[in-house]
Amino acid sequence: MRKVAPYLYIAPSMAILSFVIVYPLCKLFSYSFIHWEGIYAHTFVGISNYVSILSKLFFWKILLNNFKLFLLIPIEVILGISIAWLIYQKVFAWKFYQTIIFLPVILSIIICGIVWSYFLQTNGIIDKFLGLIGLGEFAGRHAWLVDPVFALPAVGVVIIWRDLGFAMVLFLARLESISPVLFEAARLDGASKLQILRYIVIPLLRGIIEIYVVLQIIGFLNFIFTYIYVMTGGGPGYKTTVIEYYIFEQAFRELRLGYASALSVILLGITMILAFIQLRVFKGEET
Amino acid sequence: MRGIGSANNKLVKRYAHYLFNFFSNIMVQLFLLVLSASIVIAFYYPIVNSLKTQLEYAKSQFALPVSLDFSNYVRAWVEGNFGRAFINNIILVTGVEILALLVASLAAYAFSKMDFKLKRALFRIILSFMFLSPVVISVSLYTQMVKLSLINTYVGTIIIYTAFTLSFTIYIFTGFFRGIPNELLDSARIDGCSDFGIYLWVMLPLSKPVLATLFVLNFIYVWNDLLIALLFLPKSSLQTLMIKLSFFHTRHYIDFMAIMAGVVIAVLPIVVLYMFAQRYFIRGMIAGALK
């Protein structure tokens, strides 16, 4: 009985995970080799789905949209560390800032998307704000989210707006685990705040920054569907379509299930490759 | 000569230093202020506009309402079926919490305190599922659920949500259980406690902080989710708050004030939860990453 017991304890979890994840994953692979559109019978077509996806420029343009959002990651890191550092130093009203900046994290992405859609409409709050700070020429022409050039950056702003709270909390936790003795010693040696920041704090944050970057890369590939769905529906044309949204559209609107499965497998592959590369890079730097 | 010149230089440098500090302090405060203001406005906007009449909104987006008009809430709740959606959310969250916390803690007990073949491999595989997004699986999962007639069922959807939270939940439980000293288990065993008894009377009672944290995190996940509810609960009477909101929003529903009321209805429970359990939110967010 003793030998079997552990397996009994993990059995319910394994059952649920197999049912929802493992088995569908296997099916996903097999569907990707099939031509299956709508309700018609499916025929085995080998890798022609993959060929059809990878050989058309269109797919790469959509992938490029994902990669454009990667540019947000350094911004998130810099802003996140800045905010965490300021809060750690307890600047004026730090408690207020800390509570408020974290709030968007608990909000549903749908709520954030809806509210920001109203902010970004023509002559909405953002336009009024731009007018206030003298950049009024950019405002008032049409809603940001239907502009072919600015739609994706606009969505990016909302993503950062929400992610900053998480970044702040993460970096702050790491900062608080630094022994204050280190800062005392540095101050006794005559170091300025900036020097402390550059030569002590940032090196100590290396580990958590790496974790954050990995999380965000996976996130920008796999977890931004809802932003796009609520705010732009793929954008003017396909300007804000990311891979997740493309999969969704192909599977559930165009009903091209074989094609969508192949897309999903490709997305999985890209995610695994990128995650693998990063882990290699970061492990390498440690030694 | 050289002495006076360098003294002046030092003074200039010091003033430059003070100026730089002063200026950067202002920039810093401005930045924090603008960011915080945008967040406060994001809450202010729906609350204020949900209490306005059509006429008042046409006049100004930002002004406070002259009188509190709650009819928007009534319209959203009844005509917009947000009341029904609210109940759906509650049902889903309750189901997922019970199932996920139960199943995950059992598994974590085994992973942390027992030895068995494949333990490390299985644990790693389970962990890797954490980074799987529902979209990737959706094609085959959806067809599978259709074949099993589990679309538009609470049970089917609860199981799906549970699966997607299991990896993280098991991970956190396992980490926590590992920290429980084995001496406690040994002494319980000496007192004649069975393995399951230990789980029930030792592990679980000690897990209150972790249970609270995981409860909060899973609550947010299920309550705020869109895709799973969108795909697996399409029937109108089963839709969740988020689905209703997204539908009304993307179809440019004219009754804008009712949408704002819906937003407030959808956000209220989360905000209330946050007010009471703030540290559990934060603890949960960083727990995974800091390990």
Side-chain angles (χ1 to χ4, degrees), chain B residues 143-161:
Chain B
T143 50
Q144 177 178 301
M145 297 300 269
V146 168
K147 275 187 205 158
L148 295 171
S149 303
L150 283 174
I151 303 283
N152 283 324
T153 62
Y154 287 123
V155 175
T157 316
I158 288 176
I159 293 181
I160 296 179
Y161 277 126

Side-chain angles (χ1 to χ4, degrees), chain B residues 136-199:
Chain B
V136 167
I137 293 278
S138 64
V139 182
S140 46
L141 183 61
Y142 184 75
T143 50
Q144 177 178 301
M145 297 300 269
V146 168
K147 275 187 205 158
L148 295 171
S149 303
L150 283 174
I151 303 283
N152 283 324
T153 62
Y154 287 123
V155 175
T157 316
I158 288 176
I159 293 181
I160 296 179
Y161 277 126
T162 306
F164 281 105
T165 67
L166 260 185
S167 298
F168 186 74
T169 312
I170 292 180
Y171 175 62
I172 297 294
F173 262 125
T174 307
F176 182 78
F177 282 171
R178 282 209 182 117
I180 295 182
N182 286 334
E183 290 77 40
L184 276 172
L185 282 77
D186 291 338
S187 63
R189 218 166 271 140
I190 292 177
D191 285 342
C193 209
S194 68
D195 273 338
F196 187 71
I198 295 180
Y199 163 78

Side-chain angles (χ1 to χ4, degrees), chain A residues 70 73 212-222 274-275 278:
Chain A
F70 282 178
I73 299 182
Y212 184 74
V213 170
V214 174
L215 284 176
Q216 292 303 95
I217 289 195
I218 296 179
F220 279 115
L221 281 173
N222 291 294
L274 281 178
Q278 284 179 83

Side-chain angles (χ1 to χ4, degrees), chain B residues 31-274:
Chain B
F31 166 67
L32 287 174
L33 212 63
V34 168
L35 182 61
S36 307
S38 69
I39 297 174
V40 170
I41 295 178
F43 280 89
Y44 172 85
Y45 192 83
I47 295 180
V48 159
N49 286 323
S50 66
L51 294 168
K52 285 185 186 164
T53 61
Q54 195 88 335
L55 212 59
E56 284 178 309
Y57 176 70
K59 259 194 274 177
S60 158
Q61 288 181 49
F62 301 105
L64 287 166
V66 169
S67 58
L68 302 179
D69 181 7
F70 283 101
S71 73
N72 300 315
Y73 284 90
V74 175
R75 272 201 321 285
W77 193 269
V78 178
E79 287 167 34
N81 276 317
F82 272 84
R84 180 89 211 141
F86 193 88
I87 296 177
N88 290 332
N89 270 57
I90 299 278
I91 294 177
L92 288 175
V93 166
T94 311
V96 173
E97 295 283 11
I98 297 177
L99 188 60
L101 292 177
L102 185 63
V103 164
S105 57
L106 284 170
Y109 179 46
F111 280 119
S112 62
K113 295 296 180 195
M114 300 181 189
D115 264 315
F116 52 100
K117 263 208 189 117
L118 302 176
K119 175 164 86 162
R120 284 185 66 194
L122 281 178
F123 192 67
R124 285 204 182 133
I125 295 178
I126 292 180
L127 242 51
S128 72
F129 289 156
M130 235 192 284
F131 303 111
L132 218 56
S133 98
V135 180
V136 167
I137 293 278
S138 64
V139 182
S140 46
L141 183 61
Y142 184 75
T143 50
Q144 177 178 301
M145 297 300 269
V146 168
K147 275 187 205 158
L148 295 171
S149 303
L150 283 174
I151 303 283
N152 283 324
T153 62
Y154 287 123
V155 175
T157 316
I158 288 176
I159 293 181
I160 296 179
Y161 277 126
T162 306
F164 281 105
T165 67
L166 260 185
S167 298
F168 186 74
T169 312
I170 292 180
Y171 175 62
I172 297 294
F173 262 125
T174 307
F176 182 78
F177 282 171
R178 282 209 182 117
I180 295 182
N182 286 334
E183 290 77 40
L184 276 172
L185 282 77
D186 291 338
S187 63
R189 218 166 271 140
I190 292 177
D191 285 342
C193 209
S194 68
D195 273 338
F196 187 71
I198 295 180
Y199 163 78
L200 216 52
W201 306 117
V202 179
M203 311 296 279
L204 277 189
L206 287 173
S207 311
K208 293 219 178 76
V210 184
L211 280 170
T213 309
L214 288 170
F215 176 85
V216 162
L217 283 177
N218 287 342
F219 189 98
I220 317 179
Y221 178 69
V222 177
W223 190 271
N224 288 345
D225 172 79
L226 180 76
L227 183 66
I228 295 175
L230 181 66
L231 288 179
F232 299 101
L233 289 175
K235 191 155 97 172
S236 179
S237 61
L238 292 176
Q239 285 173 353
T240 63
L241 287 168
M242 296 305 160
I243 301 297
K244 291 249 185 271
L245 273 175
S246 70
F247 274 8
F248 290 149
H249 174 71
T250 54
R251 275 149 187 75
H252 301 292
Y253 197 56
I254 300 179
D255 195 349
F256 171 69
M257 262 63 56
I259 297 183
M260 290 294 108
V263 167
V264 175
I265 295 175
V267 172
L268 211 54
I270 297 278
V271 169
V272 167
L273 190 64
Y274 180 68

